[in-house]
Amino acid sequence: MLGAKLCMAAGVSLLLLATSCSKKEKVSLQTATVTRGEITESVTATGTLECVTQVDVGTQVTGIVAKLFADFNSIVTEGQLIAEIDKTTLEADLQSADAQLESARLDYEYTKKNYERDEALHQKQLISDYEYETSRRDYFVAKADYERMQANRVSAARNLSYAEITSPMDGIVISREVEIGQTVVSNMEVANLFTIGDLDKMQVVADVDEADIGAVKVGQNAQFTVDAFPDDLFQGQVTQVRISPTTDTNVTTYEVLISTANPDHKLIPGLTANVTIKVMEEKDVMTLPIKVLRFSPMQFGDVEGLPVAEQMPEPPAGKPSGGDIPDPLLSTDDNRRLVWVLTDDNRLVPTEIEMGVENGINVEVRSGLNVGDKVALQYTTEMLEQAPERESNPFMPGPPGRDRDKKKNEEKQG
């Protein structure tokens, strides 16, 4: 019984072995075609949108806000009245200054006439030196006081004019900091009432990492998106690279200003922008994947379909013929390298090219190749399944009729 089971197991194993599929490795050559295109290298950063021109409008006088002629989002023009401070106190100050000025003028004119008269009498020695000097002193004191009152009057008039707040530029009111009836106090700083910005020209203040700041230059093109308009791509240009660093949790960044036009006023201050700065941009140049510079032909013997490399270097001693063979530089110049061109007759020809810029993915080809040339990129392998070969099993009975056909053949041969 045990022997029968062993025989049955052996038969099943032979059957599985006979019907198992075998696999074969297929080697093919992948190529890249020389095309014309652009090679770019970018630096990414995040930033915040601001108005290029933004002014805080305030008042230099203390008083109560009497009137407001502008609100949030109001479009204003240069010189337009946007607010007014109560003028009662300021007008009173101006009237007082006028009165003091008039009094000083009268005193000045009186002392001037006395001084001119005493000067003439002193020349004729009709008055003493003391009387003359006293008259002269009174005249110059009155003159100085008159000039001081003139300055006070100008200051009072200017303060009264400050009660009318006007827009210093064409733009839109971004913020309003006061309400009617609120008292604004002007001490050492100007009390801020409004913030007005020009939305026609915006800028992104982007924080660029210290590892990338060396490649960013003024004049480079940039693109950015904002979450408010995810389907729109905005164009800009680097206008300033600030050398003042900012360090936060051991990360150092530098501010880069990117200006952009905003004619439809879609962009508003405070939006977060995701910026891409093109630090290198070459257009309409011949390009190839940079991987072609690392390709080395391999000796596979007579493999059907694979091109044969011309001027194939011999493999190093002790190295099997299927190993990689390094591609040496044809020149000591780092800009000249060797690539392998696939010809129409399925042959690999070593060709020297002059390289230009590269971005880690593609490389510029300045000379040595033409558009449309096919250059060896890499070998690829593919495992192919072969059809199983069925072998006869001596323990399995043959198909019906096989014994009858065998007997007929033997009778014919007999």
Side-chain angles (χ1 to χ4, degrees):
M1 188 68 177
L2 181 59
K5 290 184 178 180
L6 291 175
C7 290
M8 184 179 295
V12 173
S13 300
L14 289 173
L15 178 61
L16 293 175
L17 182 61
T19 58
S20 62
C21 298
S22 62
K23 294 185 178 181
K24 181 180 180 181
E25 187 180 74
K26 178 184 177 182
V27 182
S28 58
L29 178 66
Q30 184 179 353
T31 61
T33 304
V34 180
T35 59
R36 280 202 169 271
E38 64 177 21
I39 298 179
T40 61
E41 187 174 0
S42 303
V43 169
T44 58
T46 58
T48 305
L49 275 161
E50 295 180 355
C51 296
V52 173
T53 304
Q54 181 172 304
V55 179
D56 292 332
V57 182
T59 176
Q60 290 183 322
V61 295
T62 298
I64 298 174
V65 178
K67 298 177 182 179
L68 290 175
F69 302 101
D71 202 351
F72 289 92
N73 302 335
S74 296
I75 298 176
V76 296
T77 58
E78 183 178 356
Q80 177 181 336
L81 182 64
I82 58 178
E84 187 175 292
I85 306 297
D86 181 67
K87 298 180 180 180
T88 303
T89 303
L90 299 174
E91 288 175 345
D93 291 342
L94 180 60
Q95 292 177 355
S96 176
D98 287 337
Q100 292 175 359
L101 177 62
E102 180 65 16
S103 176
R105 183 185 67 81
L106 293 175
D107 190 30
Y108 165 70
E109 291 178 352
Y110 173 76
T111 56
K112 181 180 180 182
K113 290 180 180 179
N114 285 340
Y115 168 67
E116 291 175 348
R117 183 179 61 251
D118 291 345
E119 184 180 21
L121 294 174
H122 183 262
Q123 290 177 356
K124 296 178 181 179
Q125 297 182 352
L126 297 177
I127 61 174
S128 65
D129 293 341
Y130 173 78
E131 292 176 325
Y132 168 71
E133 290 177 357
T134 301
S135 176
R136 183 173 179 273
R137 181 188 62 81
D138 293 341
Y139 164 69
F140 282 109
V141 169
K143 180 180 179 182
D145 189 57
Y146 177 53
E147 292 175 350
R148 181 170 60 85
M149 291 300 115
Q150 286 180 321
N152 289 343
R153 201 276 174 190
V154 171
S155 177
R158 175 65 70 178
N159 288 338
L160 180 60
S161 68
Y162 286 153
E164 295 183 348
I165 312 301
T166 59
S167 173
M169 57 177 289
D170 297 339
I172 188 170
V173 177
I174 297 175
S175 68
R176 175 175 58 83
E177 307 295 338
V178 294
E179 299 287 347
I180 295 178
Q182 181 177 341
T183 301
V184 290
V185 180
S186 177
N187 294 323
M188 296 299 294
E189 298 180 358
V190 176
N192 187 36
L193 305 182
F194 298 91
T195 299
I196 299 177
D198 181 8
L199 293 186
D200 291 335
K201 296 179 181 179
M202 302 292 291
Q203 66 183 9
V204 180
V205 182
D207 295 324
V208 178
D209 189 83
E210 60 178 325
D212 300 323
I213 194 65
V216 179
K217 307 295 181 185
V218 174
Q220 292 173 341
N221 294 325
Q223 299 175 336
F224 64 92
T225 59
V226 294
D227 293 339
F229 306 101
D231 297 330
D232 294 339
L233 183 63
F234 300 94
Q235 306 294 329
Q237 191 176 58
V238 177
T239 56
Q240 187 181 58
V241 179
R242 295 178 175 174
I243 61 175
S244 176
T246 300
T247 303
D248 185 14
T249 61
N250 295 328
V251 176
T252 302
T253 58
Y254 292 83
E255 288 187 346
V256 175
L257 301 188
I258 301 165
S259 63
T260 182
N262 188 33
D264 51 3
H265 294 181
K266 292 179 70 174
L267 299 174
I268 56 178
L271 292 179
T272 299
N274 301 310
V275 183
T276 301
I277 304 173
K278 294 183 177 180
V279 297
M280 186 266 291
E281 185 176 18
E282 294 291 337
K283 297 183 178 180
D284 194 26
V285 295
M286 290 192 297
T287 65
L288 271 175
I290 201 169
K291 288 176 63 176
V292 300
L293 303 179
R294 297 190 291 268
F295 174 81
S296 294
M298 300 174 66
Q299 295 178 345
F300 290 96
D302 252 348
V303 179
E304 182 180 356
L306 278 183
V308 178
E310 293 185 355
Q311 304 176 19
M312 187 75 170
E314 294 296 331
K319 188 174 183 179
S321 79
D324 293 340
I325 297 178
D327 50 338
L329 290 174
L330 295 183
S331 171
T332 56
D333 187 355
D334 290 339
N335 291 331
R336 307 190 72 85
R337 295 294 296 272
L338 175 69
V339 297
W340 294 82
V341 178
L342 181 63
T343 62
D344 294 337
D345 57 353
N346 204 35
R347 301 187 69 82
L348 287 175
V349 179
T351 305
E352 185 184 36
I353 65 169
E354 180 183 1
M355 301 188 307
V357 297
E358 56 89 9
N359 60 358
I361 300 175
N362 295 320
V363 62
E364 176 190 0
V365 179
R366 291 181 177 175
S367 63
L369 296 175
N370 298 313
V371 175
D373 289 345
K374 293 184 177 181
V375 181
L377 184 65
Q378 64 183 0
Y379 289 109
T380 59
T381 58
E382 181 181 4
M383 303 303 293
L384 300 178
E385 292 188 356
Q386 293 182 327
E389 297 180 0
R390 184 177 299 275
E391 298 181 2
S392 61
N393 187 353
F395 300 98
M396 296 293 291
R402 177 176 293 181
D403 294 340
R404 184 172 61 250
D405 295 339
K406 182 179 180 180
K407 185 176 182 181
K408 288 181 180 181
N409 292 333
E410 291 177 352
E411 290 177 356
K412 288 181 180 181
Q413 291 177 1

